Amino acid sequence: MSQDQSSGVLPAADTKKSTAALKKTSMSLIGVVALIFSFVAAGAFGIEEAISASGPGLTLIMLVVFPFIWAFPLSEMVGELGSLYPTEGGIYSWARESLGEFWGWQAGFWSGISTWLCQAQYCALVAGYAAKYIPMSETTEYLVKLAVVLVFTIINIIGLESLEKLETVFTVIVIIAFVAVTVVGLINWNYNPVTPIYNEDEGVLHSIGGGISIIIWMYCGYECMSNMAGELNNPQVIPKAMRISQPVIALTYVLPTLAALAAIGSWSAWNTDSGAGHVGYADVLIQNLGSWAGILFVLVAVLSNCSIFCSYIAHGSRAFFVMADDHMFPKFMAKVDKRGVPVVAIVLLAIFTAITCKFDFATLVMATTPIQLFLYLALAACIIKVRKEYPVEDRRKMGLTVMPGGKIGLVVCTGLVMTICIIALYINGTEYFVVGFLILAISLALYLICKWVYKGRVKDDPDAYPLNAKTKLGIGDIRDIGVFITLAGIGGLAGSFILNWYDGSYGTEYYLEEYGSGLFSNFDAMIGLCRWLGLILLVVGIILWFIGHKTEGSELQRLEPLRKHKLDEMIKELHGKYPGEK
């Protein structure tokens, strides 16, 4: 590529970075474990829905199996990447450095927007649990949500030290409550907790489909703590805390669920809602100790969701903060106050939550589920790329965390995560899959807008990240966008056949009854959309890839060693040397 073709670069680098002004904090190992516990679990609340959908036996099997095939691979991948590159932004920064600016932005956007939407979910759950014992009007319930937003926003503005202490207290209270359920349930064992194995009305396959997304959701969130790694004086504590938190979280799910099912049975009536004959973990205490114990447990449920909400403010506010600092989001989101706290990003997240918590809970879940799965697919791609660049043995000698098993461990861990993500995307529901398509279109469009408006990494390093003067995009973006669109096309085309097979026997009647009107009510229209749009995207993506390869391939090949050198220097600055340095 000629110099003229790349003349869209800016003449001078912008060296002012807000991440450098962030306040540094030292956290204890227990404090980080408590934060990870809050990000991922904060109790077994939510598993009730899986029990009634999948059956007690299958739910318990998934709760036992998924720590090994899902949670362990995820946390190990996060631990390895975070140990090598413990910087603010977590998965956004890892994807940016390993896969390029385009894919980094996608990962950052998926991470940020899923967290911002999850905030509204947990805020709604706080009010929902409180309403079980305190009758509230719609206005009062919304005021409760606003109060939750206000209180925990203030705590986050105060700083990470107060957050660590509060989350440790919340974690201890939640664990004590579920230990009580476990002990009382086991003492009052009355039923076989694993029968029936699955929901016989749904069959084995749809019983798995009915609960797998909930179980995946229950074991999500291990990547969140890494978003704040740049603010820790001791970021290597995060991988250690990951390994401690895994069994704690799994036991907090498995033991109370086993004991509760053994004590009260009634698996088909399990639900997070109260009344109408529904039961849950609180009923173990109510039936055996009295209503006072149930009231206390509901209060713990409120605290649990407050705990998640509070910790997610910290995570969510950092995602777009770092992207703004990299000139790929509005600059005002990267502002920090005199104490080094990203107050603007925290307040904006609070305002967003105050607006979105009015939405229906199911709508919010529909929006966030595919985003989280896309994010974990990107995480797997990051770890594969990083393994190729930096020798594992050198990293071990430097005292960095590396997932066990060598190359086999890498293949197994990434293979499991990618397989589960793909399966979940297809069996979560046709409407969820269509929403995933929409999210991909939005994230692509927003990247183009942000790149054209804010310019991106060219402002920090015009030599390594020049712009194409014709497209005003980064060198390599056309090829990456081609890959992105091609993958979306393959997914959509494959989905049209898989979803027709999976939902086809009842899809037409079910979606019409569930939604009444609109696209989601028309199963055949959704399948047709996936098929034909997938085919179009496949063709367009391949064409773009060839255009990018032909017009920018040689220039990108020239830039790659320079970019690798820049990353080597960043890692050397963090650790004193980089793996493989001679």
Side-chain angles (χ1 to χ4, degrees):
M1 180 174 291
S2 67
Q3 182 64 34
D4 290 339
Q5 199 172 356
S6 299
S7 61
V9 301
L10 300 180
D14 182 356
T15 57
K16 294 182 179 180
K17 303 294 284 184
S18 296
T19 48
L22 288 169
K23 180 182 179 182
K24 293 286 186 177
T25 301
S26 292
M27 284 192 178
S28 66
L29 179 61
I30 296 300
V32 178
V33 169
L35 276 165
I36 294 171
F37 181 84
S38 297
F39 282 129
V40 179
F45 304 106
I47 293 174
E48 299 97 328
E49 305 287 346
I51 293 170
S52 55
S54 299
L58 189 54
T59 299
L60 284 168
I61 290 170
M62 288 192 288
L63 286 175
V64 171
V65 170
F66 267 72
F68 298 98
I69 67 171
W70 176 251
F72 175 78
L74 270 182
S75 62
E76 287 298 309
M77 287 193 291
V78 169
E80 179 171 327
L81 289 167
S83 181
L84 177 66
Y85 196 51
T87 185
E88 200 75 0
I91 190 170
Y92 159 69
S93 299
W94 306 333
R96 179 195 65 203
E97 298 302 337
S98 61
L99 304 176
E101 187 175 37
F102 172 80
W103 289 105
W105 194 95
Q106 298 303 320
F109 177 75
W110 295 335
S111 174
I113 198 64
S114 64
T115 302
W116 283 44
L117 290 170
C118 278
Q119 286 295 88
Q121 293 177 32
Y122 295 120
C123 193
L125 285 173
V126 169
Y129 278 113
K132 288 187 176 186
Y133 285 94
I134 306 173
M136 290 186 284
S137 65
E138 187 174 330
T139 301
T140 304
E141 187 171 331
Y142 182 61
L143 290 174
V144 169
K145 295 175 183 178
L146 289 181
V148 170
V149 173
L150 178 62
V151 169
F152 292 106
T153 296
I154 292 172
I155 290 171
N156 272 270
I157 288 174
I158 292 172
L160 289 181
E161 300 99 327
S162 59
L163 178 65
E164 176 193 7
K165 294 173 183 176
L166 184 65
E167 293 297 342
T168 302
V169 172
F170 279 167
T171 296
V172 171
I173 292 172
V174 170
I175 289 177
I176 289 173
F178 278 97
V179 167
V181 170
T182 302
V183 172
V184 173
L186 292 176
I187 291 173
N188 294 277
W189 189 301
N190 295 310
Y191 302 91
N192 186 335
V194 297
T195 57
I197 296 295
Y198 61 91
N199 187 339
E200 295 176 356
D201 292 335
E202 297 292 334
V204 176
L205 187 60
H206 284 90
S207 290
I208 295 173
I212 191 172
S213 294
I214 296 171
I215 303 301
I216 288 174
W217 182 56
M218 295 300 295
Y219 284 112
C220 283
Y222 284 101
E223 77 285 356
C224 295
M225 187 65 209
S226 296
N227 259 29
M228 297 168 280
E231 296 169 69
L232 300 188
N233 289 317
N234 53 336
Q236 296 300 327
V237 74
I238 298 176
K240 296 176 184 177
M242 291 274 185
R243 288 178 171 171
I244 295 173
S245 65
Q246 288 178 57
V248 173
I249 291 167
L251 290 173
T252 306
Y253 290 163
V254 175
L255 295 180
T257 304
L258 174 70
L261 285 167
I264 63 175
S266 304
W267 67 271
S268 60
W270 278 65
N271 200 288
T272 52
D273 295 331
S274 61
H278 295 148
V279 299
Y281 296 103
D283 291 277
V284 177
L285 302 178
I286 293 171
Q287 292 181 21
N288 294 285
L289 299 180
S291 59
W292 65 268
I295 293 173
L296 287 177
F297 192 81
V298 170
L299 289 175
V300 171
V302 173
L303 285 177
S304 167
N305 285 283
C306 286
S307 172
I308 300 174
F309 180 80
C310 186
S311 59
Y312 264 57
I313 291 176
H315 162 62
S317 61
R318 270 66 175 179
F320 294 133
F321 165 81
V322 183
M323 294 170 71
D325 202 35
D326 281 345
H327 317 289
M328 284 302 289
F329 237 69
K331 189 62 180 177
F332 64 82
M333 293 192 72
K335 291 186 178 297
V336 297
D337 67 8
K338 294 179 180 179
R339 299 169 300 125
V341 177
V343 173
V344 173
I346 293 172
V347 171
L348 286 174
L349 174 53
I351 294 170
F352 181 87
T353 305
I355 296 170
T356 54
C357 68
K358 291 183 177 181
F359 291 124
D360 175 71
F361 181 77
T363 302
L364 293 167
V365 172
M366 183 185 297
T368 55
T369 300
I371 304 175
Q372 290 175 315
L373 296 174
F374 296 150
L375 181 66
Y376 292 137
L377 288 170
L379 178 66
C382 287
I383 194 74
I384 292 170
K385 182 65 181 296
V386 169
R387 274 291 183 96
K388 292 180 179 179
E389 300 289 344
Y390 295 104
V392 169
E393 288 305 316
D394 281 11
R395 283 192 260 167
R396 288 199 178 101
K397 291 176 183 177
M398 292 168 62
L400 302 181
T401 300
V402 178
M403 72 172 76
K407 290 183 179 179
I408 295 176
L410 174 68
V411 171
V412 171
C413 286
T414 56
L416 285 170
V417 169
M418 295 176 77
T419 300
I420 291 171
C421 283
I422 292 169
I423 291 173
L425 279 170
Y426 287 126
I427 69 174
N428 205 32
T430 302
E431 76 275 45
Y432 282 72
F433 188 78
V434 171
V435 168
F437 249 118
L438 177 61
I439 289 165
L440 290 178
I442 291 172
S443 63
L444 174 58
L446 287 178
Y447 173 80
L448 295 174
I449 293 170
C450 288
K451 187 66 177 176
W452 286 328
V453 173
Y454 304 113
K455 308 303 180 184
R457 303 190 77 179
V458 65
K459 285 189 172 183
D460 291 327
D461 193 340
D463 293 327
Y465 302 97
L467 298 180
N468 183 315
K470 293 182 179 179
T471 65
K472 306 301 181 184
L473 298 174
I475 301 299
D477 276 357
I478 296 176
R479 195 169 71 174
D480 287 341
I481 290 170
V483 173
F484 181 87
I485 293 175
T486 299
L487 292 174
I490 292 171
L493 193 59
S496 68
F497 295 101
I498 295 171
L499 292 165
N500 193 45
W501 164 75
Y502 184 72
D503 282 347
S505 60
Y506 64 88
T508 302
E509 295 79 9
Y510 170 78
Y511 289 104
L512 181 61
E513 181 181 349
E514 183 74 12
Y515 293 99
S517 60
L519 176 62
F520 291 162
S521 69
N522 191 330
F523 177 68
D524 293 330
M526 288 192 289
I527 294 298
L529 177 68
C530 292
R531 183 165 299 166
W532 293 110
L533 185 57
L535 185 60
I536 292 169
L537 291 175
L538 181 60
V539 173
V540 171
I542 292 173
I543 291 172
L544 280 176
W545 186 90
F546 275 107
I547 292 173
H549 182 71
K550 184 175 181 179
T551 60
E552 298 180 345
S554 58
E555 180 69 359
L556 186 60
Q557 192 173 17
R558 182 188 70 81
L559 290 171
E560 282 176 349
L562 176 60
R563 294 176 179 179
K564 174 62 166 55
H565 173 71
K566 299 281 186 179
L567 179 57
D568 290 343
E569 291 302 308
M570 282 191 283
I571 293 174
K572 185 175 182 177
E573 185 178 348
L574 290 167
H575 302 294
K577 62 178 292 187
Y578 62 86
E581 183 178 11
K582 297 179 181 178

